[in-house]
Amino acid sequence: MQLHNTATGRKEQFEPQDPQRVTMYVCGPTVYSYAHIGNYRPPVVFDVLARVLRRRYPGVNYARNITDIDDKINAAAAAEGVAIGVITSRYAAAFHQDLAALGVAPTDHEPKVTEHIPQIIDMIQRLIDSSHAYEAERHVLFQVSTYPDYGQLSKRDTREMLAGARVEVAPYKKEPGDFVLWKPSTDEQPGWPSPWGRGRPGWHIECSAMAEALLGETIDIHGGGHDLVFPHHENERAQSTCAHGGRVFARFWLHNGFVNMNSEKMSKSLGNVLLVHDMLKHAPGEAIRLGLLTGHYRQPLDWNDETLPDARRKLDRLYGALRDAGAVRPSEARAPAAFVAALEDDLNTPAALAELFELARALNKAESSADKSQLAAQLRDAGNLLGLLHQSPQDWFALPSANSSGAPAPAEIENLIAQRANAKKAKDFKEADRIRDALKARGVLIEDSAQGVRWRYVDST
């Protein structure tokens, strides 16, 4: 299995420290509002990686955190006049609902920052004791100059990185690049008692402490979006390595590319932010997931007006192959070697999807029941590795499409199909055609086949 390691800048053979316990930590959301489509690329990508790892290794320990203390959370809570827990509970629940709709399996661990304050304080104290951190004006800061390898993960000169980053200039810092591990809280702000006064943790130390608490000092894989390489992951790497006496923090660093809207980076100022919470009102989660998997995870992904319709058509083809195969006997056939090899080559989902459609084509051409049984099982198993094809074809084709909000309900469709069948039986083909065309105008396509009449929702425009 090959994975691209951001730390070395190349693909490397992945071998876990312990084949019985593969450890992976992925940075999760800060829950202060609904998340946009770009926020869901890491959960989907690393969900696929976890599925692939579990195929090869029996014990995978996968942690993805929830950041439930942050200045943006504080601001949202203050604006509503509620406790931060009201905000974080609301948007953590929305995040979980979206994940379920996208077919993202629950992780083994989902640590929350507010539940790991003692571990965070302990790690900060160790950094102070080892002279890698210092207290100044009720703040505790990590001293970057004490870690000679700082900057190696992001492969940029420290001065260049600091110039391009939002670095807080403060008189209590020994050096401009020193970053906050603990900061004081006002009476109005959430805070916890500590040796340095009542306060709250800085962003970077949170993930280091939670990863250590759940997965150990050295983990196999640390993942997240490309935007986290600097400063978040650079700082995590520095403080964790120093807190662990120089031991390697993460053996592999994996980062996914951005999601752009019509070739432009998503931003609130441009008004092109797509919230998955809203998208799910008009599109199946499985189509959104497939859209996120169409490009290689390390490359930017351009999301445009055709992404979802194209994903829906592709899923129609896959589910159509399973439906047309009819009732086949169960088979234990697994995903083909070429499909698995594509995923084990640094999660090459475009190549894996190409193999998936080859399977669907083969299933469409299969004639014997034995071949259909084997190919259908292989298609299902391959789909499962991508987190796709978990529904029955009947349920998939009963889902309304994005532009068919005025489409009739399934019971009405079945009734009209029965009326059409009666019209054809009476040789009233004009009436049969009228019913067919009326359904099509309302976003329902009916198809006559050897197995009977099938229907599915389509765009009515």
Side-chain angles (χ1 to χ4, degrees):
M1 186 171 183
Q2 299 274 325
L3 295 175
H4 185 276
N5 192 347
T6 303
T8 61
R10 62 176 183 270
K11 281 199 294 187
E12 299 176 358
Q13 184 78 18
F14 175 74
E15 295 288 348
Q17 303 172 94
D18 178 1
Q20 303 301 314
R21 187 176 184 269
V22 181
T23 51
M24 180 166 71
Y25 185 95
V26 174
C27 291
T30 300
V31 284
Y32 68 96
S33 66
Y34 292 114
H36 61 69
I37 184 67
N39 299 137
Y40 285 93
R41 198 177 190 193
V44 168
V45 163
F46 291 101
D47 178 61
V48 173
L49 178 57
R51 291 167 187 261
V52 176
L53 287 169
R54 289 191 169 103
R55 181 64 59 103
R56 181 179 281 262
Y57 302 104
V60 174
N61 255 329
Y62 174 18
R64 184 189 60 238
N65 74 291
I66 292 281
T67 297
D68 59 350
I69 175 65
D70 179 86
D71 288 345
K72 291 179 179 178
I73 296 172
N74 296 345
E80 291 191 25
V82 297
I84 61 169
V86 174
I87 300 295
T88 58
S89 296
R90 177 195 306 160
Y91 292 111
F95 178 67
H96 290 139
Q97 290 169 3
D98 290 350
L99 290 181
L102 297 182
V104 176
T107 55
D108 301 290
H109 308 282
E110 190 181 66
K112 294 180 175 66
V113 175
T114 56
E115 296 172 356
H116 288 80
I117 300 298
Q119 292 90 336
I120 291 169
I121 290 173
D122 175 71
M123 180 173 276
I124 293 172
Q125 188 62 59
R126 279 183 276 148
L127 288 168
I128 293 174
D129 293 343
S130 57
S131 300
H132 290 292
Y134 59 93
E135 182 182 0
E137 298 184 21
R138 297 176 60 211
H139 291 75
V140 180
L141 299 105
F142 182 87
Q143 189 168 353
V144 169
S145 62
T146 67
Y147 180 58
D149 288 344
Y150 191 82
Q152 286 192 4
L153 180 64
S154 47
K155 301 176 183 61
R156 288 180 291 179
D157 178 82
T158 305
R159 289 168 298 179
E160 178 189 337
M161 287 190 294
L162 297 179
R166 290 175 292 183
V167 175
E168 181 188 3
V169 178
Y172 49 78
K173 287 187 176 185
K174 291 183 178 180
E175 299 167 6
D178 294 351
F179 56 89
V180 171
L181 303 176
W182 189 265
K183 53 189 173 184
S185 293
T186 65
D187 291 341
E188 296 77 27
Q189 293 172 325
W192 291 264
S194 81
W196 320 288
R198 181 177 177 274
R200 59 198 192 280
W203 175 32
H204 313 299
I205 193 68
E206 298 166 351
C207 286
S208 286
M210 289 185 288
E212 177 192 77
L214 294 169
L215 304 177
E217 292 186 344
T218 299
I219 61 177
D220 289 308
I221 297 169
H222 196 314
H226 181 74
D227 56 320
L228 297 182
V229 177
F230 184 85
H232 186 49
H233 286 171
E234 192 75 70
N235 291 353
E236 266 194 79
R237 181 174 184 258
Q239 64 203 8
S240 292
T241 303
C242 293
H244 302 155
R247 285 178 287 281
V248 171
F249 171 43
R251 299 173 60 246
F252 281 76
W253 291 87
L254 273 65
H255 295 95
N256 63 268
F258 295 115
V259 176
N260 299 320
M261 274 299 299
N262 296 310
S263 302
E264 289 185 320
K265 185 178 179 181
M266 279 192 293
S267 74
K268 291 181 180 177
S269 61
L270 292 174
N272 63 352
V273 174
L274 283 178
L275 301 181
V276 169
H277 176 77
D278 294 331
M279 294 170 69
L280 286 168
K281 298 173 185 175
H282 309 287
E286 194 169 352
I288 298 173
R289 182 185 181 99
L290 178 56
L292 288 169
L293 293 175
T294 52
H296 194 284
Y297 81 94
R298 284 194 290 112
Q299 302 303 317
L301 178 68
D302 188 44
W303 196 278
N304 55 55
D305 295 340
E306 277 300 305
T307 302
L308 277 178
D310 182 59
R312 177 98 194 216
R313 287 190 291 269
K314 287 176 177 175
L315 285 164
D316 283 348
R317 288 165 56 192
L318 296 172
Y319 276 111
L322 290 169
R323 178 192 63 188
D324 295 346
V328 295
R329 73 175 189 275
S331 168
E332 298 298 321
R334 305 290 294 275
F339 174 87
V340 176
L343 289 180
E344 291 192 339
D345 181 15
D346 193 33
L347 282 190
N348 192 339
T349 54
L353 286 169
E355 293 292 336
L356 198 67
F357 286 105
E358 281 296 325
L359 268 177
R361 278 189 283 271
L363 180 56
N364 285 331
K365 294 177 182 178
E367 296 181 356
S368 74
S369 59
D371 286 345
K372 288 182 179 181
S373 176
Q374 177 177 337
L375 289 165
Q378 287 183 310
L379 184 58
R380 283 284 191 187
D381 189 56
N384 183 61
L385 273 175
L386 290 171
L388 303 172
L389 304 181
H390 51 81
Q391 304 179 62
S392 71
Q394 292 75 20
D395 288 342
W396 169 257
F397 287 114
L399 292 172
S401 72
N403 294 328
S404 61
S405 56
E412 183 183 354
I413 296 169
E414 294 291 351
N415 183 47
L416 288 168
I417 288 174
Q419 291 180 34
R420 177 175 176 265
N422 290 334
K424 289 178 72 175
K425 189 174 181 180
K427 300 191 183 300
D428 188 351
F429 299 112
K430 184 176 180 179
E431 174 63 9
D433 289 346
R434 186 197 68 77
I435 294 172
R436 179 198 62 203
D437 294 342
L439 281 168
K440 185 175 181 181
R442 296 177 67 187
V444 178
L445 181 67
I446 60 175
E447 300 168 324
D448 295 303
S449 71
Q451 289 77 31
V453 180
R454 299 194 177 102
W455 65 270
R456 59 187 172 93
Y457 289 114
V458 294
D459 290 347
S460 55
T461 56

